[in-house]
Amino acid sequence: MEITVALTGNPNAGKTTIFNALTGARQKVGNWPGVTVEKKEGSLVYRGHTIRIVDLPGIYSLTAYSIEEIIARDFILEDRPDVVVDVIDASNLERNLYLAVQLMELGRPLIFALNMIDVAKARGIIIDTELLSRLLGVPVVTTVGTKGLGLDELLETIVAVAEGRLKSRPVSINYGPEVEREIRALVEEIEKIPALREKYPPRWLAIKLLENDREILKKVSSIPGTEKVLEQLKRSETRLRELLDDTPEAIIAEARYGFIAGALREVVRVSPIDRRTLSDRIDDIVTHRFLGFPIFILAMYALFYLTFTLAAYPVAAIEYGVDLLARVLSARLPDGLLKELLIDGIIGGVGGVLVFLPNILLLFLGISIFEDTGYLARAAFIMDRVMHFLGLHGKSFIPLLMGFGCNVPAIMATRTLETKRDRILTILINPLMSCSARLPVYVLFAGAFFPGQESRVIFGIYALGIILAMLLGKLFSRVLIKEEDTPFVLELPPYRMPTLRSLLLHMWEKTKVYLQKMGGVILICSVILWALTAFPRVNGQAPPIEESYIGRLGQALAPVVEPLGFDWRLGVSLATGFVAKEVVVSSLGVLYQVKDDDVHSLRERLREAGLSRSTALAFMVFVLVYIPCIATVLAIWRETGALKWPAFCIAYELILAWVLAFIIYRLGLLLGF
Ligand code: GDP
Ligand code: MG
């Protein structure tokens, strides 16, 4: 018999640890259809059964507030796994049970795995699992995922439940006489409609409707013949509001908490010693009103140091290797298209991805450490108030900060955000964080036109980026993404010492995605861009850049950038900057015909070309704001799952860049720069 098992539970309850321990290397990683939430599947053979396990996304509740929640409940309701295993963090029973009691209503065979039972024990929390199982009507197994304890019993229980030898008969929560009366009335209407009855457990559906669950309302309304149900819902809502003076949602949530508190009082004993945990004591310092912030800055500094300074050594090694390969090939291969394609197109492009790899690996290692220890939650807590100003939550701070390094991993880091709304908002303003690739442009122009004031000018550009991000964040959250800001409690999960294995695994998982997806697309794009610079051929040779397709494009663009005081060469360099913003400087070198990449002579040439200081400022601001580079555009596309967002990003940034550069240039002229 094949048994399908859905693993569900709160984030960090240990689902993935258990999943890995059970399935080992037999895993398949993909995405859920239509969204960028990762889907993991694995299988194992146990007592002659093939057990297929699906690791559902971590969630706190089964409302329809996040994609993750919708994915989890749709999978359980529609794919009908034979067994649902809810991984519960036993050291945090109260919070974890909030999901558990909702799973009990879904009507699928259920097992509770009380994981982290070691942590619970260490804190003096004693759980009467047998009583818990009896009270809730659900089989309970205790596990320690990291040590593989209890997994055999878990498998035994899964098989027993799947074979029907062991029954899970979840009790139903009593929502009080008034709510229960309305649930009954709704269930009665629901049962009259086969399309509903067969698809959803009627009681669950009734509760969801009363909770005003948008997804479910949409689904029910789309089924013909459900008018009676919706009419009953209206009546029920009105009656409850009158009777109880509160929304049905709130009353239902309250009843659940009450149920949990009651259950806990029965099954949990906490030894009186040491109720104030080590976590609490660390939090006293780390989230302290005055100390919290400096500690946080230090932690961020450490993250950046790790990512950008330490990585410089392996980066240099990879650069050297790529360079060596290019030189060897260049010496061995006959001149011609193939050689150019290999060296300039493929090695140049893929090498460009490879060079970032140490940064990415270390960045992801750092984030995994923050995540796994629980510090990330504190960082979000500390920055929360500042971020609310932008219409965002504290968690968005990390991706924005990372944007100063490189927007691509920064955009990938938005995966830690809870809601799609926050994710999109954070992604949209991320390119305004001036990434390190733009710095060479500022250094070049500030040095040429503002000698002695470079650092002030460059700081001003960075600050402008931040201010723009704040203003646009506020604007977008008001007009663009109207979806309301879902309130949620910023949880402070207990600190935990991560194992090296899990750190490396988490780091590798993130890196793998980066390599697989970015690698392929970057290869294709760099070949295309190479072709634009290598054609049309002149006597079988690559053309001078102004005659190449990209050069012609730039010249065609010249009228567009003329009002900003830019000449066609600046226009072309901006066009090439779409590949990567570092390229702007190297194309300027080619366009202004400077020998051997010498910054000083390039500065000289720029001044000789008659560019003014206001042009220089306008150009720097343009580079700050315009078009994200191609890797960023692709990252935005992938992470948002819709082409409209990268398109919007390109559009707003081009327009904003143009308008700002125009204002700065004209203002500069007026002020006599
Ligand atoms: P998920 O997000 O729910 O999949 O949780 P993970 O499997 O990623 O686990 C989160 C963290 O808890 C990791 O650092 C694990 O090593 C750790 N962990 C998982 N299970 C246990 C356990 O039973 N005991 C202890 N002490 N740590 C655990
Ligand atoms: Mg996980």
Side-chain angles (χ1 to χ4, degrees), residues 88-314:
I88 289 175
D89 176 354
S91 66
N92 244 314
L93 205 50
E94 182 169 11
R95 179 178 51 148
N96 280 248
L97 283 179
Y98 193 67
L99 175 67
V101 297
Q102 295 182 60
L103 288 165
M104 285 162 56
E105 289 170 339
L106 281 185
R108 298 304 303 163
L110 186 63
I111 298 172
F112 289 156
L114 288 190
N115 193 38
M116 306 217 186
I117 205 79
D118 56 337
V119 182
K121 274 208 188 99
R123 287 215 212 119
I125 301 171
I126 298 156
I127 303 167
D128 185 346
T129 48
E130 263 187 50
L131 181 59
L132 181 68
S133 171
R134 250 185 301 137
L135 278 177
L136 304 185
V138 177
V140 176
V141 181
T142 57
T143 58
V144 179
T146 38
K147 300 211 180 83
L149 299 179
L151 296 184
D152 277 327
E153 201 198 330
L154 179 60
L155 285 171
E156 273 305 338
T157 314
I158 288 172
V159 170
V161 168
E163 288 178 351
R165 281 185 282 121
L166 187 63
K167 283 273 186 298
S168 94
R169 282 198 202 83
V171 300
S172 40
I173 295 181
N174 187 337
Y175 290 104
E178 289 86 355
V179 177
E180 287 293 337
R181 177 150 22 98
E182 304 310 325
I183 291 177
R184 269 198 307 278
L186 274 164
V187 165
E188 204 174 299
E189 291 301 332
I190 290 166
E191 299 212 287
K192 286 183 194 150
I193 301 163
L196 288 180
R197 192 175 60 209
E198 275 150 32
K199 197 152 177 220
Y200 306 102
R203 183 180 162 85
W204 181 79
L205 187 57
I207 295 169
K208 282 291 139 193
L209 287 173
L210 283 174
E211 279 185 295
N212 195 15
D213 185 295
R214 268 177 268 150
E215 280 305 300
I216 291 295
L217 266 174
K218 240 191 283 166
K219 283 188 182 168
V220 170
S221 323
S222 72
I223 295 174
T226 53
E227 297 80 4
K228 281 259 169 61
V229 176
L230 297 173
E231 277 165 35
Q232 175 60 42
L233 178 61
K234 281 245 164 56
R235 279 199 299 278
S236 296
E237 270 171 353
T238 328
R239 205 174 307 161
L240 284 176
R241 234 176 273 257
E242 277 167 17
L243 274 171
L244 301 169
D245 201 29
D246 206 343
T247 61
E249 281 163 277
I251 296 156
I252 288 171
E254 222 171 78
R256 287 192 183 126
Y257 280 120
F259 175 85
I260 292 166
L264 286 180
R265 197 162 308 144
E266 298 230 37
V267 302
V268 175
R269 251 184 324 118
V270 181
S271 60
I273 44 145
D274 209 13
R275 290 197 72 159
R276 208 169 159 62
T277 60
L278 184 62
S279 263
D280 292 335
R281 269 171 278 165
I282 297 176
D283 272 340
D284 284 347
I285 301 171
V286 167
T287 61
H288 187 272
R289 257 198 304 162
F290 305 118
L291 287 177
F293 205 75
I295 292 175
F296 168 69
I297 298 286
L298 266 180
M300 288 303 125
Y301 181 77
L303 177 67
F304 267 68
Y305 184 81
L306 191 73
T307 314
F308 294 102
T309 313
L310 277 189
Y313 304 103

Side-chain angles (χ1 to χ4, degrees), residues 599-611:
V599 181
H600 295 289
S601 48
L602 180 52
R603 283 187 182 141
E604 195 80 356
R605 287 294 169 88
L606 287 172
R607 282 192 297 260
E608 283 166 10
L611 301 182

Side-chain angles (χ1 to χ4, degrees), residues 415-484:
R415 291 183 176 195
T416 53
L417 304 184
E418 228 103 319
T419 64
K420 178 133 194 182
R421 172 196 173 278
D422 288 0
R423 223 173 282 165
I424 288 179
L425 206 52
T426 311
I427 287 173
L428 286 184
I429 60 175
N430 205 297
L432 290 169
M433 301 294 122
S434 188
C435 69
S436 55
R438 285 170 247 184
L439 187 59
V441 181
Y442 309 149
V443 172
L444 173 69
F445 277 80
F449 296 94
F450 302 90
Q453 292 174 302
E454 290 106 320
S455 57
R456 241 179 293 162
V457 171
I458 294 176
F459 180 80
I461 299 278
Y462 273 86
L464 178 67
I466 297 171
I467 293 168
L468 286 173
M470 293 179 90
L471 293 177
L472 288 174
K474 237 181 146 61
L475 182 73
F476 291 163
S477 66
R478 289 262 171 89
V479 295
L480 197 63
I481 308 172
K482 290 216 195 64
E483 196 177 319
E484 62 201 88

